[in-house]
Amino acid sequence: MSWIDLLRMSGSNLKRRKLRTFLTVLGVIIGTASIVVMISLGLGLQESLYREVENSGGLTSIKVTGAGAGESMFSYSGSESEEESKKYINDQALTELAGIEHVTIASPVYEMWVNMIKGNYEGSGQLVGMTPEGLAAKNIPLGEGRLPTPGSGTLELVYGNGIPTMFYEKGTGNGYYETMELPDIDFLHDSIFMILDQDGYYNNTGDGLSMGEDENGGQQAKSQTVQKHVVRASGMVKGGPEEYNANYYYIYCDLDTLKQILKKEFSGRVIPGQPTTKSGKPYKEFCYSYAQVNVDDIANVDTVAAVIREMGYNVETNAEYLNSMKSQFAIIQAVLGGIGAVSLFVAAIGIANTMMMSIYERTKEIGVIKVLGCSLKNIRQMFLLEAAFIGLIGGAVGNVLSFLMSAVINFLTGNGAAMGFDGNISYIPAWLVLLSMGFAMLVGVIAGYFPALRAMKLSPLAAIRNE
């Protein structure tokens, strides 16, 4: 019997029992969709991690931190096993870092928390000062505009696409997450007041006065003017308020321009976040929050990181971070895949049951084709093909269903923004589709194997006499 005859007979047998075949295929559809969607959630997390690493400089980037400087809403203290460094990241440290073999660039980064005012709106954000080389190496995806112009003397900003959500109305205190409406501000073209002196701003009573202590330790009002800097945007990160990414909450500017403004405003005073001497006076050198070091090749990252650690600094590499997260994602995917596999296991039981019932109903037919000279091998192949057909059809339709479910999940989560992810929370690559269809067929064949063996062992004479 040829393969074409076997395929025709297998298809005909499935069509004769449409309802039973449909219910069996339905079980495979649900099982395949479950396992694909579950695994896609783990893959979505992994893809989000890859994008975050890429936006942070890629696998050849090293973050070097020293003693605390700058004000950040995130901590860069290195791993828990590392002791806090007592060395500051200053211009001298950057020169040393740039001189290490295989280092292509060592750029400083300074972070500070700032307030912004526009009309009846007030907001805040993380201001990040970087050199032109550092900003270029960061590969910030701009929706409109350009990177800040160095040496312009004015503070030009690149707003993260999530900065508009940080503004609220002064009177009501309502912001984006209360009203789901963005402030009436054209961030690309409107001028905004920026306040760098956080202590002076929050201590201000609203009448140009702040509270201090008199000689007897009592409270007295003293005159204090908080400087407001007029700033404009040079560009804005690509994406809307619901599209979370690694640059979402940040405001980027030229570092040299920021340093000039800070030194002028805080002349004779300590710049926010900067270290002080034992007597409380400003430190003579400007210190940065951290240094971004790029290495020429990923193979040299560990070597360079080890050299920097020996110099007394703390080190974080994206490669180390990625490797640690990969092991965690592997566990997550295994758990999620196991949950989905339960449904496919139940479907396999349904396939086995269907094939066994088919054998009982076709006992006489099996006996006849044996008497007519059909080999045992052909009989086994016919039943295995029927089971494989069920798995293939269920796997194909299950993948279509999984794509629909994945689209719904991504839509409901705002393409991952509601969960704090950069990109879709569910991601189905082509290899997962092919693997799931092959797995569904394999499950079908395995489930149909023992019923096929039973069909082979039937006695032709006993099968013909069977009623």
Side-chain angles (χ1 to χ4, degrees):
M1 187 179 295
S2 66
W3 277 101
I4 295 177
D5 293 330
L6 288 172
L7 291 171
R8 186 169 57 249
M9 288 183 65
S10 298
S12 176
N13 289 330
L14 292 175
K15 288 179 181 178
R16 280 189 296 173
R17 300 164 180 84
K18 292 184 177 63
L19 181 59
R20 185 188 301 166
T21 301
F22 169 75
L23 293 175
T24 307
V25 170
L26 183 62
V28 180
I29 291 173
I30 296 173
T32 303
S34 298
I35 195 171
V36 170
V37 170
M38 288 294 183
I39 293 177
S40 75
L41 296 176
L43 292 175
L45 295 174
Q46 188 168 298
E47 287 297 308
S48 177
L49 172 66
Y50 289 154
R51 284 189 293 271
E52 181 182 340
V53 169
E54 188 62 32
N55 290 334
S56 300
L59 296 177
T60 58
S61 176
I62 300 176
K63 180 174 292 180
V64 182
T65 58
E71 297 174 342
S72 171
M73 62 179 175
F74 299 108
S75 173
Y76 299 103
S77 59
S79 63
E80 294 181 359
S81 61
E82 292 178 328
E83 295 182 0
E84 184 177 355
S85 174
K86 295 181 180 179
K87 300 180 68 174
Y88 291 108
I89 303 295
N90 50 29
D91 291 329
Q92 181 182 350
L94 289 165
T95 302
E96 294 176 355
L97 293 172
I100 299 174
E101 188 179 4
H102 302 299
V103 171
T104 58
I105 181 176
S107 58
V109 180
Y110 187 74
E111 297 182 332
M112 64 181 303
W113 196 253
V114 296
N115 282 81
M116 297 169 286
I117 300 174
K118 176 63 178 179
N120 194 40
Y121 294 99
E122 183 173 348
S124 57
Q126 183 85 355
L127 183 64
V128 182
M130 299 182 70
T131 61
E133 297 80 12
L135 284 170
K138 197 169 180 60
N139 296 321
I140 301 173
L142 296 179
E144 295 183 71
R146 53 173 174 76
L147 294 176
T149 302
S152 63
T154 59
L155 206 56
E156 295 182 335
L157 309 176
V158 172
Y159 292 109
N161 55 304
I163 291 299
T165 67
M166 303 290 285
F167 278 74
Y168 61 90
E169 290 183 319
K170 292 182 181 178
T172 63
N174 291 331
Y176 173 76
Y177 294 104
E178 286 76 30
T179 64
M180 298 310 294
E181 294 182 1
L182 292 174
D184 186 19
I185 302 174
D186 186 349
F187 283 88
L188 272 173
H189 302 101
D190 289 350
S191 296
I192 293 178
F193 288 118
M194 176 175 285
I195 299 171
L196 304 176
D197 187 357
Q198 296 285 288
D199 290 339
Y201 178 71
Y202 285 114
N203 291 332
N204 198 292
T205 62
D207 300 315
L209 299 174
S210 64
M211 302 306 295
E213 292 187 357
D214 58 22
E215 296 179 354
N216 298 320
Q219 292 291 316
Q220 67 173 8
K222 61 180 181 179
S223 175
Q224 179 177 347
T225 302
V226 178
Q227 187 169 350
K228 298 178 181 178
H229 302 272
V230 179
V231 295
R232 297 182 68 92
S234 65
M236 195 157 188
V237 175
K238 183 179 180 180
E242 299 298 329
E243 299 176 55
Y244 180 80
N245 55 71
N247 306 298
Y248 190 80
Y249 287 117
Y250 293 103
I251 306 168
Y252 297 98
C253 68
D254 178 62
L255 178 58
D256 286 338
T257 304
L258 177 61
K259 285 169 61 178
Q260 292 173 11
I261 293 174
L262 286 172
K263 289 178 180 179
K264 183 177 180 180
E265 179 177 350
F266 294 90
S267 178
R269 294 189 292 153
V270 179
I271 297 174
Q274 285 291 299
T276 60
T277 63
K278 293 181 179 180
S279 60
K281 294 182 179 180
Y283 200 67
K284 62 179 179 179
E285 295 183 46
F286 192 91
C287 299
Y288 306 101
S289 303
Y290 63 92
Q292 196 74 32
V293 175
N294 289 354
V295 183
D296 56 6
D297 191 272
I298 189 173
N300 299 320
V301 170
D302 290 340
T303 302
V304 173
V307 172
I308 296 174
R309 286 191 179 99
E310 289 178 0
M311 293 169 62
Y313 300 102
N314 293 329
V315 173
E316 295 177 48
T317 69
N318 286 335
E320 292 174 348
Y321 173 65
L322 186 62
N323 289 333
S324 65
M325 293 303 293
K326 272 185 176 180
S327 60
Q328 296 182 34
F329 283 138
I331 297 173
I332 292 173
Q333 288 177 10
V335 172
L336 293 176
I339 295 173
V342 172
S343 300
L344 204 55
F345 175 72
V346 174
I349 296 175
I351 294 174
N353 179 65
T354 297
M355 300 309 298
M356 289 298 294
M357 292 299 297
S358 178
I359 290 171
Y360 286 124
E361 292 175 355
R362 295 158 57 190
T363 299
K364 184 174 289 187
E365 177 187 331
I366 294 171
V368 170
I369 61 176
K370 278 188 174 183
V371 170
L372 293 176
C374 183
S375 68
L376 297 178
K377 179 181 178 182
N378 287 148
I379 293 173
R380 182 184 63 194
Q381 289 172 341
M382 181 176 64
F383 280 93
L384 290 178
L385 278 174
E386 289 182 26
F389 271 138
I390 293 174
L392 177 62
I393 296 171
V397 179
N399 271 288
V400 173
L401 179 61
S402 66
F403 274 104
L404 294 175
M405 294 172 64
S406 177
V408 171
I409 291 172
N410 290 329
F411 174 77
L412 293 177
T413 58
N415 297 109
M419 306 294 291
F421 296 123
D422 177 10
N424 293 334
I425 191 174
S426 175
Y427 169 67
I428 304 177
W431 64 263
L432 181 58
V433 174
L434 297 175
L435 183 63
S436 62
M437 289 184 63
F439 186 63
M441 284 186 64
L442 178 63
V443 168
V445 170
I446 293 174
Y449 181 74
F450 290 104
L453 289 181
R454 179 178 175 81
M456 290 171 58
K457 294 178 181 179
L458 284 176
S459 168
L461 294 178
I464 292 174
R465 295 194 189 101
N466 183 70
E467 294 297 336

